[in-house]
Amino acid sequence: MSLKALFAGGTVYRNIVWYTKGMKEFTRGGYETAARNFNDEDLDVDISNLSYMITGSNSGLGKCTALELAKRGATVHMVCRNETRGLKAKDEVINESGNEKVHLHLLDLSKPRDIVKFARDFVSSEKQLDVLVNNAGCMIHEYKLDENELETNFATNTLGTYILTTELLPSLSRSSSAQVVTVSSGGMYTEKLDPYDLNLAARQDKFDGTFAYGQNKRQQVVMSRLWAVKYPNIHFSSMHPGWAATVAVQTSMPDFSAKMGDKLRTPEQGADTITWLCIAARNLKLPSGLFFQDRTAVSEHLPLARSHSSDVEEATLMERLEQLKSKFLPSEDQPTEQLKLKSAF
């Protein structure tokens, strides 16, 4: 993935401002500058009685978050797609943290029916869940529809996140300090929400994986903010980890990764704000639904970027996601009259 390809989505203005801002703030140097204002006491919190679930936790930001929480004595549920990599990551987290309260769950976030079953089994088990971290994601550069006729990036990044979160609400609602932290991306800054073509059918002939990813990450931020209004008993946050040197970045954007080199943040630096949101009591005193970068609430939009969406567009996104979700519920939960979905999905 070249820098030219990275600039393919969004408007020219948004891309230029995004890249300029990114070189200043999203890099390792940006993190080091921001870290000068961090308050270490924010993380001086006993979380040994709390339970966390982290998707995509076999490597990168998810694994760093799992390890940091485990080191602090928390119960950690690692949700991974691949059993071999998941078991290896789980063993490493246990060995490095000395914490045996680490559990592995196998789940592919692109499989809606599997997500529903997993979440409902977890809810039925009455296991404690205080914080859900939506971290799993993908960037696939070829237009593909899966067996459910869902575009592959959208299936994992947006619909999978939506279904898992909404299905785990009963477990989260039992906690007095319930949180959902969704790991978005600075790539969303270049995109304006389009809720009318979630499957990107209109773009399949000239498909751009970075555009799809940016759309999905914008969708996640909107979901988090609207969930905050709908479910006031749960604290929602979304965040941008900066540009970090993870396996996912190296494989999905190899040219960008190579060009940036040591300017990229370490995975631990990228995961810092995830951990802070999970732990810091100060976070829970802030309004629910905010978007964070380097432990600070920031705007969801670049200045003068015209990337704001209307209330109607945002409501349409949530309605269409709920309609899609209903297709994958057990037969006894299907609506009496199944809502017809437009081909625009």
Side-chain angles (χ1 to χ4, degrees):
M1 173 66 50
S2 64
L3 284 176
K4 181 179 180 181
L6 277 173
F7 282 97
T11 66
V12 173
Y13 171 80
R14 285 183 211 148
N15 286 325
I16 291 173
V17 175
W18 167 79
Y19 187 71
T20 303
K21 179 181 178 69
M23 291 300 293
K24 179 181 179 181
E25 298 179 13
F26 304 166
T27 57
R28 183 190 298 247
Y31 173 83
E32 291 170 348
T33 298
R36 295 171 190 160
N37 296 315
F38 290 173
N39 184 349
D40 291 339
E41 292 182 0
D42 284 351
L43 301 182
D44 188 16
V45 179
D46 181 7
I47 61 169
S48 60
N49 63 334
L50 297 182
S51 176
Y52 296 81
M53 180 180 291
I54 308 163
T55 66
S57 49
N58 66 285
S59 66
L61 307 182
K63 184 183 176 186
C64 287
T65 303
L67 177 58
E68 186 61 32
L69 296 174
K71 284 180 177 179
R72 295 169 180 271
T75 297
V76 178
H77 295 276
M78 301 175 66
V79 178
C80 304
R81 182 180 59 179
N82 182 279
E83 183 175 13
T84 301
R85 292 196 292 268
L87 285 170
K88 182 174 182 291
K90 173 192 170 185
D91 289 343
E92 290 172 349
V93 168
I94 290 174
N95 290 336
E96 291 184 47
S97 67
N99 182 350
E100 296 287 339
K101 299 185 296 182
V102 179
H103 311 279
L104 175 65
H105 306 272
L106 299 178
L107 179 65
D108 186 337
L109 267 293
S110 71
K111 308 293 185 185
R113 290 185 180 86
D114 292 352
I115 300 171
V116 171
K117 183 180 186 307
F118 165 78
R120 294 192 174 188
D121 286 347
F122 190 92
V123 171
S124 296
S125 74
E126 297 189 352
K127 292 177 182 175
Q128 178 184 351
L129 181 61
D130 300 288
V131 182
L132 169 65
V133 179
N134 289 312
N135 170 71
C138 65
M139 184 191 292
I140 299 172
H141 297 287
E142 180 182 355
Y143 187 82
K144 293 181 180 179
L145 297 182
D146 63 17
E147 67 271 19
N148 297 308
E149 296 299 307
L150 298 170
E151 191 275 317
T152 48
N153 292 288
F154 169 75
T156 296
N157 298 333
T158 302
L159 186 60
T161 296
Y162 181 87
I163 295 175
L164 182 65
T165 302
T166 54
E167 286 294 316
L168 285 174
L169 290 175
S171 289
L172 289 162
S173 296
R174 291 193 287 260
S175 171
S176 61
S177 56
Q179 285 196 78
V180 176
V181 177
T182 299
V183 181
S184 182
S185 165
M188 70 98 187
Y189 277 125
T190 66
E191 307 305 332
K192 181 182 183 298
L193 177 70
D194 177 7
Y196 303 109
D197 187 16
L198 299 180
N199 246 8
L200 300 180
R203 293 175 173 266
Q204 59 183 298
D205 293 335
K206 294 183 179 180
F207 187 71
D208 176 11
T210 55
F211 170 83
Y213 187 78
Q215 271 292 315
N216 297 161
K217 293 301 175 177
R218 170 67 69 187
Q219 291 157 6
Q220 288 180 342
V221 172
V222 172
M223 288 191 301
S224 181
R225 176 162 40 78
L226 295 187
W227 278 331
V229 176
K230 188 172 184 179
Y231 307 109
N233 61 320
I234 298 172
H235 197 275
F236 291 88
S237 305
S238 57
M239 61 79 66
H240 166 35
W243 296 338
T246 64
V247 173
V249 170
Q250 293 165 1
T251 56
S252 63
M253 299 185 291
D255 292 348
F256 176 74
S257 178
K259 182 176 181 63
M260 294 300 294
D262 60 7
K263 293 185 179 68
L264 293 175
R265 299 180 177 198
T266 66
E268 291 77 13
Q269 291 172 339
D272 177 81
T273 296
I274 308 174
T275 304
W276 182 83
L277 288 168
C278 286
I279 297 175
R282 184 158 67 91
N283 166 44
L284 295 177
K285 297 178 182 178
L286 297 172
S288 182
L290 297 178
F291 178 66
F292 288 83
Q293 174 189 311
D294 291 331
R295 303 191 188 185
T296 301
V298 296
S299 174
E300 299 175 10
H301 304 276
L302 297 171
L304 306 176
R306 297 184 178 180
S307 56
H308 292 75
S309 45
S310 68
D311 291 345
V312 171
E313 288 170 327
E314 294 185 352
T316 298
L317 170 68
M318 303 303 277
E319 289 167 3
R320 292 191 167 203
L321 290 172
E322 187 62 26
Q323 290 172 1
L324 276 172
K325 173 186 168 181
S326 72
K327 292 177 59 178
F328 304 105
L329 298 178
S331 57
E332 61 268 21
D333 292 343
Q334 292 288 347
T336 304
E337 295 184 10
Q338 175 69 43
L339 294 170
K340 293 183 178 180
L341 304 179
K342 296 181 179 180
S343 59
F345 282 119

